[in-house]
């Protein structure tokens, strides 16, 4: 039986590539127009698992996605890092001289800004998704529009790549999280990373005390992101990723955090993809 995987975007997108890399070929894709729709598909059971970009090595965190996971009680069961390659593609037979406009996701346009400084005659137009533009070029036979999209999109929609790896910074990587309604799908001996969320009080040194306790429990903090608690002005929640060698160390951390921190919650326990 094929796994049904919800992704933001359509076939040929980076989310599609992550789905293939993580789950293999035997999957059915549920294409979603937004990250909210990915979450909704998990809640109603339309998809078995979901994939969501959470941070980029250049642009930083996709902050709204942290709250999407927390508020909807969705769990992180894995992660995947994808090196992002932006490619300029057109209809077969078209050339660079034919291009009047380039359409793509705003982030892709931003990350290729330097490339287009040498081509001021080309208009850059924002669209909802990288692969969506590639598909539209094929379907509507758009002769004067190019797309910035992954290589997979060119293959799926029979387009020609006329310039590859046009991103300004070569080392451009995005971290994606794998989502499910239930937590912890791996045995404890395979788990070496966790995502947690908590609130500290306003006393001086409260956060430092909590972080010191994590350190004493042999936690290696790999990410910390603060977000306002919407219901309480000027109060902040902390989203933290930690890695560890032994699950028992994390179990000890959990028991202490439940005492020390307010509204402590484990968002996911999984395998560190960077090892």
């Amino acid at each position: 039986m094929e796994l049904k995987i919800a992704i933001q975007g359509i076939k040929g997108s980076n989310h599609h590539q992550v789905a293939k890399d993580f789950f293999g070929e035997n999957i059915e894709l549920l294409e979603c127009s937004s990250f909210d729709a990915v979450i909704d598909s998990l809640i109603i059971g339309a998809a078995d698992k979901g994939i969501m970009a959470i941070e980029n090595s250049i642009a930083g965190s996709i902050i709204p996605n942290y709250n999407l996971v927390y508020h909807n009680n969705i769990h992180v069961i894995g992660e995947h890092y994808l090196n992002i390659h932006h490619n300029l593609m057109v209809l077969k037979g078209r050339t660079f001289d034919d291009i009047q406009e380039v359409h793509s996701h705003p982030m892709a346009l931003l990350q290729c800004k330097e490339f287009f400084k040498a081509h001021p005659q080309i208009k850059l137009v924002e669209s909802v998704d990288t692969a969506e533009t590639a598909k539209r070029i094929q379907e509507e036979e758009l002769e004067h529009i190019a797309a910035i999209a992954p290589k997979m999109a060119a293959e799926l929609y029979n387009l020609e790549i006329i310039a590859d790896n046009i991103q300004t910074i070569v080392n451009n990587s995005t971290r994606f999280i794998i989502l499910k309604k239930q937590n912890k799908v791996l045995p404890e001996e395979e788990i070496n990373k966790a995502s947690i969320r908590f609130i500290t009080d306003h006393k001086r040194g409260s956060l430092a005390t909590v972080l010191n306790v994590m350190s004493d429990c042999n936690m290696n903090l790999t990410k910390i992101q603060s977000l306002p608690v919407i219901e309480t002005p000027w109060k902040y929640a902390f989203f933290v990723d930690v890695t560890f060698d032994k699950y028992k160390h994390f179990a000890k951390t959990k028991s202490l955090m439940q005492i020390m921190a307010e509204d402590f919650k484990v968002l996911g326990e999984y395998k560190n993809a960077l090892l």
Side-chain angles (χ1 to χ4, degrees), residues 14-78:
N14 286 317
H15 281 79
H16 180 195
Q17 185 65 59
V18 172
K20 283 183 63 178
D21 291 348
F22 197 87
F23 295 107
E25 299 285 347
N26 191 31
I27 56 174
E28 179 184 349
L29 284 184
L30 178 62
E31 300 172 332
C32 299
S33 59
S34 66
F35 290 119
D36 292 78
V38 171
I39 296 295
D40 289 342
S41 72
L42 294 173
I43 292 171
I44 66 174
D48 302 306
K49 294 171 185 176
I51 294 172
M52 175 185 284
I54 198 71
E55 60 180 309
N56 177 264
S57 59
I58 298 171
S61 299
I62 305 174
I63 290 177
N65 287 355
Y66 286 88
N67 272 332
L68 267 180
V69 172
Y70 169 71
H71 285 296
N72 290 284
N73 202 30
I74 298 298
H75 298 280
V76 183
I77 61 163

Side-chain angles (χ1 to χ4, degrees), residues 108-118 124 166-168:
L109 294 173
L110 181 66
Q111 293 176 359
C112 300
K113 195 174 176 182
E114 289 300 314
F115 178 84
F116 289 105
K117 279 187 177 179
L124 303 181
I166 64 171
Q167 64 271 14
T168 303

Side-chain angles (χ1 to χ4, degrees), residues 85-267:
H85 301 285
H86 291 310
N87 304 287
L88 191 65
M89 54 192 71
V90 294
L91 278 177
K92 288 281 178 73
R94 300 294 96 191
T95 67
F96 207 98
D97 292 335
D98 295 314
I99 301 174
Q100 295 174 2
E101 297 180 1
V102 171
H103 294 211
S104 196
H105 187 277
M107 191 60 68
L109 294 173
L110 181 66
Q111 293 176 359
C112 300
K113 195 174 176 182
E114 289 300 314
F115 178 84
F116 289 105
K117 279 187 177 179
H119 309 284
Q121 77 281 6
I122 295 176
K123 182 181 179 182
L124 303 181
V125 180
E126 294 183 358
S127 61
V128 296
D129 181 64
T130 53
E132 184 273 337
T133 297
K135 183 180 181 182
R136 190 160 53 85
I137 289 172
Q138 180 210 40
E139 290 178 342
E140 299 177 20
E141 297 185 356
L142 303 175
E143 297 185 0
H144 301 293
I145 294 178
I148 300 172
K151 183 180 178 182
M152 181 193 288
E155 296 168 351
L156 280 173
Y157 303 119
N158 196 31
L159 300 183
E160 187 170 340
I161 294 175
I162 56 173
D164 61 1
N165 290 322
I166 64 171
Q167 64 271 14
T168 303
I169 300 174
V170 176
N171 295 321
N172 178 8
S173 177
T174 295
R175 177 180 175 235
F176 295 79
I177 50 177
I178 315 302
L179 305 172
K180 192 179 178 183
K181 282 180 75 172
Q182 296 80 28
N183 191 17
K184 201 168 69 172
V185 297
L186 296 171
E188 288 184 358
E189 60 269 18
E190 292 185 31
I191 295 171
N192 56 10
K193 189 169 184 179
S195 296
I196 59 177
R197 186 255 194 202
F198 59 89
I199 297 171
T200 60
D201 58 34
H202 281 297
K203 293 178 183 176
R204 185 176 63 186
S206 294
L207 177 60
T209 301
V210 168
L211 297 181
N212 283 334
V213 166
M214 288 187 190
S215 178
D216 291 342
C217 291
N218 297 306
M219 297 293 104
N220 177 38
L221 189 147
T222 61
K223 174 77 177 179
I224 182 167
Q225 179 73 51
S226 66
L227 288 179
V229 179
I230 296 171
E231 305 83 7
T232 312
W234 309 115
K235 198 165 192 177
Y236 291 86
F238 296 94
F239 291 81
V240 172
D241 291 336
V242 292
T243 59
F244 41 88
D245 294 329
K246 295 180 180 179
Y247 186 85
K248 66 179 183 180
H249 294 154
F250 179 61
K252 181 180 178 182
T253 302
K254 286 193 290 185
S255 62
L256 291 172
M257 290 290 288
Q258 285 164 351
I259 299 168
M260 295 184 61
E262 187 182 330
D263 200 18
F264 172 73
K265 184 177 182 181
V266 176
L267 302 177

